[in-house]
Amino acid sequence: MSALHINEIKKYFGALLVLDGVSLDIEPSEVVAVIGRSGSGKSTMLRCINGLEKIQAGSIEVAGHRIGPQGGDLRSLRKEVGMVFQSYNLFPHLTVMENVTLAPKVVKGVDRQEAEAIAHDVLRRVGLAEKSGAYADELSGGQQQRVAIARSLAMQPKVMLFDEVTSALDPELTGEVLKTMEELADAGMTMVLVTHEMGFARQVADRTVFMHKGKIWEQGPSEELFANPQTPELRNFIAPNLK
Amino acid sequence: MIRSFGWESVEFLIRGAGWTLLLSLMTFVVGGFFALIFALLRTLGPKPVRLAIAGFIQLVQATPLLIVVFLAFYGLSFMGLHFPPMVAAGVSLAVYTTAFLADIWRGCIEAIPKQQWEAADALALTRIQQLRYVILPQAFKISLGPTVGFMVQIVKNTSVVALIGFVELTRAGQLLNNMTFQPFHVFLTVAAIYFAICYPLSFLSERLKGNRHVRPAH
Ligand SMILES: Nc1ncnc2c1ncn2[C@@H]1O[C@H](COP(=O)(O)OP(=O)(O)OP(=O)(O)O)[C@@H](O)[C@H]1O
Ligand SMILES: [Mg+2]
């Protein structure tokens, strides 16, 4: 059974059709990169997957929780789906530890001691065990983004969504975040990542999906897709990136 | 009977100031309670509720406080609801404060970036949990400066209830002046007492506004 099942979803913003019948099946432990031009609907697709945006047609299924145009049990779905944003969005009034333990405590009702044990574990995984007492404004962008990943991991999601998580970072800080994501992938996490890092997509993602005009235009095993693009749109898109 | 300005007069004024403080405090507590509810409903309530609250805020903000006080005192007594000055004063000041504080606090809630809501939403927090753990603590911090600043306005504005005969600091000054005919002594002392109450608040408000990184104690 697939970890994430997206079936013919459509999304409108007013009259603008942004997702035009997108379907995608993702296997457990699969890593899928989503690439495409600005405005092609990549972020919107991710946001629909965990219900931050409503869909107007089709359905999305994760771990037995289904959402459709009428909504669905969003909270149950979100417990299974972690999301990491381009702008980190840490809670600035809370320490790193409090950022990471908040959701396990208030959403899952985990007691404080256990929540902190989980937090220590996930912070170690992202290499920030020693920063648990810091506030967001005391961390670099790369560290903040790794805390955001840890915060999401602490809910023990079945699927993680990443929306251009390195785009806001200085080039010398992208490496540490990409490394964290690669380790997650190696550990068997099911991941969907929107990225402009073609090299990373090619190297880490099992499959790459090219979105164009709100549709999945072309997809395939990453190595093949980049080596041998089938459509002129994809060829045009990756040509300047490969130089 | 006081005949000339002396220690006795100062004592009399300070008793008046006590009523000013009590009225201010009551106003702030009652007004603050409704303001919080209104601020939340104004941002998160269903549309008709949001519109109704916005209308209430606009209406009160466009009405001189004195008119609100007269409405509560003379208007309601005309309709047979006779409130003593203390109650009429408290009610009208609370209504006024509710409107202004609700507006200030709504601004603070809306100043929190929508990405903060989204991040909490994505972590499966309910709407109420998002407010409780993520939005309100941040909004609270930025609201401290303007809120304390508004308390200064409340203290000064309590003086309008002198006009319905409630003996707070300003009214006490008027009465004393009628007895002593020493307006400079009397009203300079009254002003000095207002200053002694308001200046620490203003000072605190500026400090809180300047310090953007005030954090709740852990
Ligand atoms: N909240 C919104 N309201 C109206 N239109 C929106 C909204 N969010 C996105 N859009 C529009 O939907 C389309 C797809 O946007 P989306 O953010 O999904 O693109 P993207 O592929 O992620 O682009 P980028 O690479 O720039 O992030 C764009 O035309 C965008 O202007
Ligand atoms: Mg995007």
Side-chain angles (χ1 to χ4, degrees), chain B residues 17-92:
Chain B
W19 285 106
T20 291
L21 275 177
L22 187 69
L23 191 59
S24 301
L25 195 69
M26 247 176 48
T27 300
F28 181 74
V29 171
V30 177
F33 173 78
F34 288 106
L36 182 61
I37 294 173
F38 279 27
L40 291 175
L41 289 174
R42 174 76 180 81
T43 23
L44 298 171
K47 190 147 189 200
V49 174
R50 291 207 308 266
L51 288 178
I53 291 173
F56 164 81
I57 290 173
Q58 301 252 302
L59 196 67
V60 175
Q61 288 191 343
T63 310
L65 173 58
L66 190 54
I67 302 300
V68 182
V69 173
F70 283 171
L71 278 171
F73 189 60
Y74 299 116
L76 293 179
S77 79
F78 181 75
M79 289 166 57
L81 292 165
H82 197 77
F83 289 131
M86 176 74 188
V87 175
V91 168
S92 42

Side-chain angles (χ1 to χ4, degrees), chain A residues 70 88 102 111 123 127 153 196 205-206 211 235:
Chain A
Q70 280 80 39
Y88 341 128
L102 178 66
D111 71 37
L123 285 170
L153 276 178
H196 285 159
D206 302 307
M211 288 191 70
R235 237 171 281 143

